[in-house]
Amino acid sequence: MFEATKVGRSVSKEDYKEQQEELRTQLLSVQRDLKVSNIPVIVLVSGVEAAGKGEVVNRLNEWLDARGVQTFAFWDESDEERERPRYWRFWRSMPPRGEISILFGGWYQTPIEHRFKGHCTDAELDGELNRIVDFERMLIQDGALIVKFWFHMSESDQKARLKELSRDDKSRWKMVPDKSKFSEHYAAFEQVAERVILHTDRGVSPWYLIEAGDRRYRDLTVGKTLLHAIRSRLGEPTPEDQNNTLAGPDLPSSASAQITLLDQLDLSLAISRDDYKTELKRLQTEINELAWTAYNKKRSTVLMFEGVDAGGKGGAIRRITNAIDARLYRAIPVAAPTDEEKAHHYLWRFWRHIPRAGYITLYDRSWYGRVLVERVEGFASDAEWRRAYSEINRFEEQLVDSGVILLKFWLHISQEEQLKRFKDRENVPYKRYKITEDDWRNREKWPYYKEAVNEMVVRTSTKHATWTLVEGNDKPYARVKVMRTICDNLRDALQRDPVPTVGYVPCGDKRIVETRKSNGDSNGGN
């Protein structure tokens, strides 16, 4: 497939100079149009070594207004990145709407290198490529434009370019000698690259193969291709996923046919005051010990709380945080998104707070707002909230695959108990801030929220991230159930092998590579 990148295309100095000025003018113009749009542009730059990827990116930054462009190189992982799921580093690089991010290698770099070095099999590489296809589709459905460039050249041209770079004291090649391995095994690297490109070359995010032998041809081709891609995207509506129109079954109208999972909860369950005090003290002691064990074992934990208004989320979270050293956790209250958060994919603000290894994050409301309040209140389009189920499942699978202990709670109470708590909040001065007009208005939409919660649990209670439904009419009972569930799951997870075992093994996960090396399997099954 790379034959077309070895035909010897070139551009003369005169033609380059003439076309460059016009191209730069057009790029600046389209960048201004982009600024007032809702379109983030992600440019992925990859290819064979010595193809001049850095030169191209520097040229793009010269032609464009650098104030609207950010460039990211994914070299060695920092400790901060290594202690989180692999895609965390990429989410941090996502541009806000109207701006451009240029990513060297991006999410392709590590899988390609690991397969080339024999750290994973073809099947494991394909598994990671499937994840990449899903990831790119999700970003595109949210309005992003992804432009992927692969720079290629013949083996003889690469050797000549490497020789030239070896004499340049400013060349990065003097700082990364390991990269020479790619040039020594040109055919093997080309084979891996072909597999990657064929697997991920999709109509919504195609690969552009760029012949890199002639610098002037290479730079102009990239600039013109990017210009055309942005112009085309500005003239199109936001892509919608026509295949994600799943709806629940059309139920009969009788009351007995409308029963949901929430209707099956026994809200009369309660615990005596004395038993509550005894059990609370025991569970808080155990949670504190487990939190320190998780810290020492470098296992991060995500605790996520959803529930009806006044369902007791805050009280449950407070009993947990009171038991844990404050240096080990962060509690994230989730409200309406800020302007900065609205400028990104809705999952972006949750990825930002994923804890590093050994720490705990508690979310008071979460990413499920997309299929709950945003669905019921009409803040998300029908296509947006319907495709969110699969997006959320993939997000949670990535967390668990990377070793995160993920627990999800829905705290439920009856309408009568909710009314009682609302009135109590209005009558108690220090609780009055908890009640708003929106809370009263949401009561009128109780049946719609109940339907949304039922579908949410059905579609997102998975093997790797099950829901715990909590009977919450009796606050002490609910708190004990939440804490007992946390203790049981933490204890079980910390006794097992910390290396992820859920789903397929990501070819890009360095911990898998390190584990295999320690077990003497340096070829990764190759």
Side-chain angles (χ1 to χ4, degrees):
M1 68 179 294
F2 293 117
E3 289 81 5
T5 64
K6 305 173 185 179
V7 298
R9 294 185 177 96
S10 64
V11 172
S12 68
K13 288 183 179 180
E14 293 76 16
D15 288 343
Y16 177 79
K17 185 176 181 180
E18 178 182 344
Q19 295 182 50
Q20 176 188 221
E21 291 304 315
E22 177 63 21
L23 176 58
R24 183 175 186 180
T25 301
Q26 293 176 344
L27 281 171
L28 288 171
S29 176
V30 80
Q31 190 180 10
R32 287 192 293 271
D33 295 337
L34 180 69
K35 187 67 178 177
V36 296
S37 75
N38 285 323
I39 303 170
V41 177
I42 302 164
V43 180
L44 289 167
V45 175
S46 195
V48 299
E49 291 302 324
K53 297 183 287 292
E55 294 173 350
V56 173
V57 171
N58 288 334
R59 187 71 67 204
L60 287 177
N61 276 275
E62 175 188 333
W63 287 343
L64 294 163
D65 184 343
R67 292 171 295 182
V69 181
Q70 296 186 74
T71 300
F72 300 90
F74 299 101
W75 294 329
D76 292 337
E77 287 182 324
S78 66
D79 290 341
E80 189 179 29
E81 292 171 334
R82 183 178 287 270
E83 293 185 0
R84 286 183 171 89
R86 193 171 77 88
Y87 277 65
W88 181 78
R89 68 196 312 216
F90 306 127
W91 278 97
R92 294 173 64 190
S93 309
M94 292 296 103
R97 303 186 194 281
E99 296 191 12
I100 301 172
S101 281
I102 302 177
L103 281 57
F104 278 92
W107 35 87
Y108 289 97
Q109 179 173 309
T110 301
I112 289 174
E113 291 186 0
H114 282 185
R115 184 65 194 102
F116 172 75
K117 295 176 181 178
H119 294 327
C120 65
T121 65
D122 281 343
E124 289 168 343
L125 173 62
D126 290 346
E128 181 65 13
L129 296 179
N130 288 335
R131 171 171 287 176
I132 287 173
V133 169
D134 289 340
F135 178 56
E136 292 180 351
R137 182 190 299 119
M138 178 182 67
L139 296 176
I140 291 167
Q141 288 170 348
D142 189 58
L145 169 64
I146 300 178
V147 185
K148 303 187 296 191
F149 293 107
W150 181 273
F151 297 91
H152 211 76
M153 57 173 55
S154 67
E155 185 173 6
S156 59
D157 283 345
Q158 185 189 51
K159 288 181 178 179
R161 185 71 60 81
L162 287 172
K163 188 175 182 180
E164 175 188 342
L165 291 172
S166 69
R167 296 193 294 263
D168 184 358
D169 290 336
K170 296 180 181 179
S171 171
R172 178 174 164 264
W173 276 81
K174 289 187 176 293
M175 296 179 284
V176 284
D178 286 346
K179 293 293 184 181
S180 62
K181 294 178 182 178
F182 293 94
S183 63
E184 293 171 3
H185 303 281
Y186 177 91
F189 183 77
E190 192 175 63
Q191 184 178 6
V192 173
E194 180 173 325
R195 187 181 191 93
V196 169
I197 292 172
L198 287 174
H199 199 113
T200 58
D201 186 39
R202 306 300 168 102
V204 292
S205 58
W207 279 100
Y208 297 100
L209 304 185
I210 308 297
E211 184 172 354
D214 181 80
R215 290 181 170 90
R216 292 185 291 270
Y217 167 83
R218 177 198 64 198
D219 294 357
L220 285 178
T221 302
V222 169
K224 287 177 176 289
T225 303
L226 180 60
L227 173 65
H228 178 74
I230 297 176
R231 275 181 174 170
S232 298
R233 180 65 185 83
L234 287 170
E236 297 174 355
T238 301
E240 294 287 357
D241 186 357
Q242 301 300 322
N243 297 320
N244 268 328
T245 56
L246 296 174
D250 195 1
L251 304 178
S253 57
S254 57
S256 61
Q258 303 286 330
I259 294 175
T260 69
L261 289 167
L262 299 180
D263 294 315
Q264 294 182 322
L265 296 177
D266 184 359
L267 297 179
S268 67
L269 292 173
I271 188 173
S272 69
R273 189 67 179 174
D274 289 342
D275 288 344
Y276 169 65
K277 288 182 178 180
T278 301
E279 191 68 357
L280 178 66
K281 183 177 181 180
R282 182 188 71 80
L283 290 170
Q284 286 184 321
T285 300
E286 184 173 7
I287 283 180
N288 177 60
E289 294 173 353
L290 290 168
W292 280 113
T293 301
Y295 173 77
N296 290 324
K297 288 193 172 187
K298 297 293 185 180
R299 294 295 301 275
S300 52
T301 304
V302 171
L303 305 176
M304 190 277 292
F305 295 86
E306 290 282 0
V308 299
D309 295 329
K313 298 184 298 298
I317 291 172
R318 192 158 54 250
R319 269 65 185 183
I320 297 166
T321 56
N322 286 347
I324 302 173
D325 191 303
R327 293 167 292 185
L328 297 181
Y329 72 84
R330 288 187 64 197
I332 308 297
V334 177
T338 64
D339 289 342
E340 182 187 21
E341 291 167 343
K342 287 179 182 178
H344 293 84
H345 190 282
Y346 74 95
L347 288 176
W348 178 80
R349 62 172 171 159
F350 303 109
W351 270 101
R352 296 172 74 190
H353 300 296
I354 296 300
R356 64 189 305 169
Y359 291 85
I360 301 169
T361 294
L362 302 95
Y363 289 96
D364 184 353
R365 297 205 183 278
S366 69
W367 42 94
Y368 283 98
R370 175 56 56 110
V371 296
L372 293 175
V373 64
E374 292 184 39
R375 165 185 174 172
V376 175
E377 303 297 337
F379 298 145
S381 69
D382 194 65
E384 285 175 332
W385 68 257
R386 288 192 187 281
R387 66 172 177 255
Y389 297 118
S390 60
E391 293 172 351
I392 288 170
N393 285 337
R394 290 195 296 269
F395 165 50
E396 293 177 348
E397 184 179 12
Q398 287 184 58
L399 298 185
V400 177
D401 278 350
S402 67
V404 173
I405 301 168
L406 172 63
L407 300 178
K408 306 186 300 189
F409 297 95
W410 175 267
L411 280 72
H412 195 65
I413 58 176
S414 65
Q415 284 185 280
E416 295 75 19
E417 178 64 22
Q418 186 188 59
L419 179 60
K420 177 183 174 183
R421 294 185 186 183
F422 277 10
K423 290 181 176 179
D424 179 54
R425 288 179 174 183
E426 286 188 327
N427 295 330
V428 179
Y430 68 84
K431 292 184 178 181
R432 202 167 291 155
Y433 76 95
K434 293 184 176 183
I435 190 74
T436 67
E437 289 297 324
D438 287 340
D439 293 329
W440 286 108
R441 184 174 55 82
N442 288 344
R443 276 181 59 81
E444 301 173 5
K445 298 185 177 182
W446 185 279
Y448 302 106
Y449 275 101
K450 189 170 74 169
E451 178 186 354
V453 172
N454 187 74
E455 186 170 3
M456 173 192 76
V457 174
V458 168
R459 295 194 183 280
T460 62
S461 192
T462 61
K463 176 182 178 181
H464 53 268
T466 59
W467 276 98
T468 298
L469 305 182
V470 181
E471 302 85 349
N473 271 15
D474 183 67
K475 291 181 180 179
Y477 176 86
R479 293 165 185 167
V480 166
K481 180 171 181 176
V482 167
M483 298 185 72
R484 186 178 294 147
T485 301
I486 293 172
C487 286
D488 290 345
N489 282 272
L490 283 179
R491 191 186 318 111
D492 179 62
L494 294 172
Q495 288 174 351
R496 286 187 275 111
D497 189 341
V499 175
T501 57
V502 177
Y504 57 78
V505 178
C507 193
D509 196 322
K510 288 193 173 181
R511 283 164 299 181
I512 302 299
V513 173
E514 290 165 355
T515 300
R516 282 175 167 166
K517 285 181 177 178
S518 66
N519 292 334
D521 183 10
S522 60
N523 291 323
N526 205 21

